[in-house]
Amino acid sequence: MNKKRTTLKDLAKELGLAASTISRALDDHPGISQETKEKVLNKAEELGFTRNSIASSFRKNKTLTIGVIVPRIDIHFHSLVISGIEEYAYKAGYNVTIFQSRDSIKRESKITKILQNKMSEGVIICLGTETNSYEHFEKLNRMKIPLVFYDRVPTGFEANKIIINDYESAFKATEHLIEVGCKRIAHIGGSQSTGIFKARFEGYKAALVKHDFPMEKNLVHFTKDLSYEEGALVAKKLLALKSRPDGIFCSNDYTAVSAIQVFQKNMVKIPQEIAIVGFSNYPISKIIEPHLTTVNDRAFEMGMAAARLLIRQIEEEEDIIQTEIVTIKTELLIRESSTK
Amino acid sequence: MNKKRTTLKDLAKELGLAASTISRALDDHPGISQETKEKVLNKAEELGFTRNSIASSFRKNKTLTIGVIVPRIDIHFHSLVISGIEEYAYKAGYNVTIFQSRDSIKRESKITKILQNKMSEGVIICLGTETNSYEHFEKLNRMKIPLVFYDRVPTGFEANKIIINDYESAFKATEHLIEVGCKRIAHIGGSQSTGIFKARFEGYKAALVKHDFPMEKNLVHFTKDLSYEEGALVAKKLLALKSRPDGIFCSNDYTAVSAIQVFQKNMVKIPQEIAIVGFSNYPISKIIEPHLTTVNDRAFEMGMAAARLLIRQIEEEEDIIQTEIVTIKTELLIRESSTK
DNA sequence: AATTAAGATGCAAACGTTTGCATAAAATTT
DNA sequence: AAATTTTATGCAAACGTTTGCATCTTAATT
């Protein structure tokens, strides 16, 4: 005695109309009389009828669903991006299915297959660290499923991308340190095989060059993961130098925060003796004392932009495949860690 | 010249077999010969065939999709829970569609309708703050769609729930303060109309009672949102008292952290003069100096448990509707903020 | 009044997969 | 060798919605 769902046909029978008429009435089709539309609407309400959207998807070949693949959901940056994606997608009538690759290319590849079968109409991706080939995405491309990458985007693979201008943001952050009077600026960077961290380093270098500062090798340190722990390690190295830097540009907020703490423990005053700038505007940056100057990477807006671009490509009539690269404007949030 | 997907029928034609045979072969059905299975598998590979799972869902009336409704994705606690849900669901072959209610009951209700139409097979929910009636969920219940609530769960509404023992966790946290020698313990609590925060307060009280400590009214403060700012406000009030507390149990980590900072700015030593315990094990708790003693609420495990319970209920043959309440074990993470 | 146009509704096929039942062929038992 | 069982495959309907086209009614135009 499983209670069956009410279907279009049930409604049709009740009203003595054809299923097609009901369908059109619910769609507010111009060819259906106002009178009938009202009758249908009322009856639908009465019987608690709602369309079976799986059947609809099946028939129309449209699922109104987009997939999102991120390395991990519980990284604050990604959760903000997903939030932005969901927000835009919801308003546009799309649903969002999420997957974590957990940085495994195998899992990433399997997920693309699932999305293919599930007839996802488009996919938003942040690549995992392992990912160095893009065959699994090419397959989606061949099936005309639009893709949008964000943050960690593929290189040498034409695709839609949502990025920030890491180079320019780093440049401005470094220049800000120069403007507040720093003379010798260090850099705590990320893995140089990752595009965004390389770009941040380049931006740092460019600012030094512009202002005729020499680049001192022993002031530049690259970490593996930009982890809190690695940040402390580098900070200790900088602390041990006979002539310490008076400013540091860090490629993320974790290393910046741990550097602040290391210096403070060693009685080095922030920002008076060393000014510090981070990157990403993590919640911690507004809590640490002194509050951290950092680059707002506008993760939420990235998500919105990714969803907007994807949905536009899904709904575009033309089949002229073209890719877009959208750059989100960042802003330097100047706080106490750099205001001498 | 839209490239059409290869279908079962295409495969069937290619091989001179019936579509049903292909379908069964791909399912490794026992009635199909090994030889045929191999031929089918090879041809499928060759033509890049994958099942259209929308058609399959439609036919089988099974979508292998679960919905998740959270107030906001970018709250760290929720992103951890979602991560746990995704992890379990992925391994069980289910997909996860996420929605943010943004604490609006209207949006929450609309989402339940979408999930109904989309034939979600089950839903995991953390209620929004506005939610005080459960009709929209009752409707899902009536359609035999299993529901699992976590964290903010409905009261007076029989349902599956994943919770932690807030009372006991608070009790232990407070007792820990007593054990390290605190004599006068304050409490920074959340809105008492929210079950979990009331339970934490009750646990605090019970620990005091057990150890024959009086409850001092002016040491107990309830905030609206347990926000960082409110924590600072309460901390300042406590600071202004002629006889200050020597320990504080806070209902979350934000208020605990801001209290630490307020005290430190006023030259009050943590933990020597005031020991502090938080709740939730936010990332900040391991960064703030001194590191914060806090209750690990095991958000990831909550997500796993929610998905496990939901999927079990989805797949259960029996129709005996029963609800389960799962309590996740917490642990007190003792760090420097409370070790005198 | 005859013709045409416009308006409202119905018919039936289609989407791709699954599944109960039927059938055919081969293997086994009598 | 006939009867029976087993094994392998095919047939056809069904799932609920959508959509092009056909049909029928009514209104507008000649």
Side-chain angles (χ1 to χ4, degrees), chain B residues 143-155:
Chain B
M143 300 198 66
K144 311 244 161 145
I145 297 176
L147 306 180
V148 173
F149 294 86
Y150 76 86
D151 194 46
R152 283 179 136 274
V153 301
T155 51

Side-chain angles (χ1 to χ4, degrees), chain B residues 8 20 23-24 51 56 59:
Chain B
L8 271 186
S20 52
S23 180
R24 283 189 264 250
R51 266 193 178 78
S56 178
R59 172 59 225 247

Side-chain angles (χ1 to χ4, degrees), chain A residues 131-143:
Chain A
T131 306
N132 44 19
S133 79
Y134 310 117
E135 300 156 40
H136 45 309
F137 296 120
E138 266 161 11
K139 200 178 263 174
L140 290 176
N141 254 347
R142 262 180 270 125
M143 300 198 66

Side-chain angles (χ1 to χ4, degrees), chain A residues 8 20 23-24 51-52 59:
Chain A
L8 269 186
S20 50
S23 180
R24 284 189 263 248
R51 264 192 179 78
N52 176 338
R59 170 62 224 244

Side-chain angles (χ1 to χ4, degrees), chain A residues 142-321:
Chain A
R142 262 180 270 125
M143 300 198 66
K144 311 242 162 144
I145 297 176
L147 306 179
V148 173
F149 294 87
Y150 76 87
D151 194 47
R152 281 180 137 272
V153 301
T155 52
F157 176 66
E158 211 182 321
N160 297 301
K161 299 172 189 177
I162 312 284
I163 50 176
I164 57 169
N165 195 330
D166 288 281
Y167 174 87
E168 194 188 310
S169 306
F171 180 91
K172 284 188 181 157
T174 310
E175 199 166 45
H176 163 70
L177 285 170
I178 295 173
E179 279 163 7
V180 300
C182 295
K183 298 293 173 208
R184 300 183 52 245
I185 300 170
H187 175 54
I188 304 182
S191 160
Q192 294 299 293
S193 56
T194 300
I196 56 177
F197 301 129
K198 185 148 172 48
R200 291 177 198 178
F201 173 52
E202 297 295 339
Y204 156 82
K205 272 200 298 190
L208 296 189
V209 167
K210 178 181 168 195
H211 293 270
D212 290 325
F213 281 37
M215 200 189 90
E216 303 179 52
K217 278 263 165 62
N218 56 356
L219 293 187
V220 174
H221 291 267
F222 300 121
T223 66
K224 214 172 117 270
D225 293 324
L226 286 169
S227 67
Y228 180 76
E229 291 73 20
E230 288 176 307
L233 245 56
V234 174
K236 279 172 197 157
K237 276 187 204 158
L238 293 173
L239 200 61
L241 293 176
K242 32 206 164 301
S243 56
R244 291 176 189 160
D246 56 2
I248 311 180
F249 165 59
C250 309
S251 270
N252 79 347
D253 283 353
Y254 284 146
T255 53
V257 165
S258 72
I260 288 180
Q261 291 183 328
V262 165
F263 293 138
Q264 283 178 338
K265 268 189 205 154
N266 288 276
M267 302 305 154
V268 175
K269 290 227 159 65
I270 313 290
Q272 292 82 357
E273 295 175 61
I274 305 184
I276 297 188
V277 175
F279 206 112
S280 280
N281 191 32
Y282 268 41
I284 180 87
S285 66
K286 286 187 287 280
I287 291 180
I288 184 83
E289 296 280 359
H291 292 359
L292 180 65
T293 295
T294 187
V295 175
N296 181 2
D297 57 11
R298 292 207 167 84
F300 183 84
E301 286 79 5
M302 277 186 95
M304 295 271 281
R308 189 183 312 121
L309 175 53
L310 187 73
I311 291 173
R312 181 148 55 76
Q313 295 222 349
I314 290 170
E315 295 181 347
E316 217 149 56
E317 299 295 318
E318 320 268 333
D319 201 23
I320 310 150
I321 300 161

Side-chain angles (χ1 to χ4, degrees), chain A residues 8-233:
Chain A
L8 269 186
K9 283 183 188 171
D10 299 335
L11 256 188
K13 204 172 291 172
E14 280 277 324
L15 290 165
L17 291 169
S20 50
T21 305
I22 310 288
S23 180
R24 284 189 263 248
L26 293 169
D27 281 345
D28 204 15
H29 187 103
I32 304 293
S33 73
Q34 211 52 47
E35 204 194 332
T36 308
K37 280 179 189 169
E38 272 165 35
K39 260 193 282 183
V40 170
L41 252 351
N42 290 336
K43 204 71 181 176
E45 176 76 21
E46 184 192 327
L47 301 187
F49 168 84
T50 49
R51 264 192 179 78
N52 176 338
S53 45
I54 293 298
S56 178
S57 288
F58 170 51
R59 170 62 224 244
K60 296 206 284 188
N61 217 21
K62 272 195 137 294
T63 56
L64 291 177
T65 297
I66 63 179
V68 176
I69 311 176
V70 297
R72 307 182 48 155
I73 296 163
D74 58 346
I75 290 175
H76 187 244
F77 171 73
H78 293 301
S79 74
L80 269 174
V81 174
I82 296 174
S83 178
I85 293 172
E86 196 275 341
E87 186 63 21
Y88 189 91
Y90 178 79
K91 290 193 173 145
Y94 283 76
N95 295 330
V96 179
T97 306
I98 41 158
F99 295 89
Q100 305 186 83
S101 68
R102 299 195 158 264
D103 284 315
S104 147
I105 187 169
K106 207 174 143 199
R107 186 148 160 182
E108 195 177 83
S109 171
K110 204 171 155 205
I111 293 167
T112 62
K113 283 202 190 107
I114 296 173
L115 287 170
Q116 208 182 100
N117 297 351
K118 279 268 177 167
M119 311 230 331
S120 202
E121 298 197 46
V123 186
I124 295 172
I125 306 125
C126 175
L127 296 174
T129 48
E130 270 186 10
T131 306
N132 44 19
S133 79
Y134 310 117
E135 300 156 40
H136 45 309
F137 296 120
E138 266 161 11
K139 200 178 263 174
L140 290 176
N141 254 347
R142 262 180 270 125
M143 300 198 66
K144 311 242 162 144
I145 297 176
L147 306 179
V148 173
F149 294 87
Y150 76 87
D151 194 47
R152 281 180 137 272
V153 301
T155 52
F157 176 66
E158 211 182 321
N160 297 301
K161 299 172 189 177
I162 312 284
I163 50 176
I164 57 169
N165 195 330
D166 288 281
Y167 174 87
E168 194 188 310
S169 306
F171 180 91
K172 284 188 181 157
T174 310
E175 199 166 45
H176 163 70
L177 285 170
I178 295 173
E179 279 163 7
V180 300
C182 295
K183 298 293 173 208
R184 300 183 52 245
I185 300 170
H187 175 54
I188 304 182
S191 160
Q192 294 299 293
S193 56
T194 300
I196 56 177
F197 301 129
K198 185 148 172 48
R200 291 177 198 178
F201 173 52
E202 297 295 339
Y204 156 82
K205 272 200 298 190
L208 296 189
V209 167
K210 178 181 168 195
H211 293 270
D212 290 325
F213 281 37
M215 200 189 90
E216 303 179 52
K217 278 263 165 62
N218 56 356
L219 293 187
V220 174
H221 291 267
F222 300 121
T223 66
K224 214 172 117 270
D225 293 324
L226 286 169
S227 67
Y228 180 76
E229 291 73 20
E230 288 176 307
L233 245 56

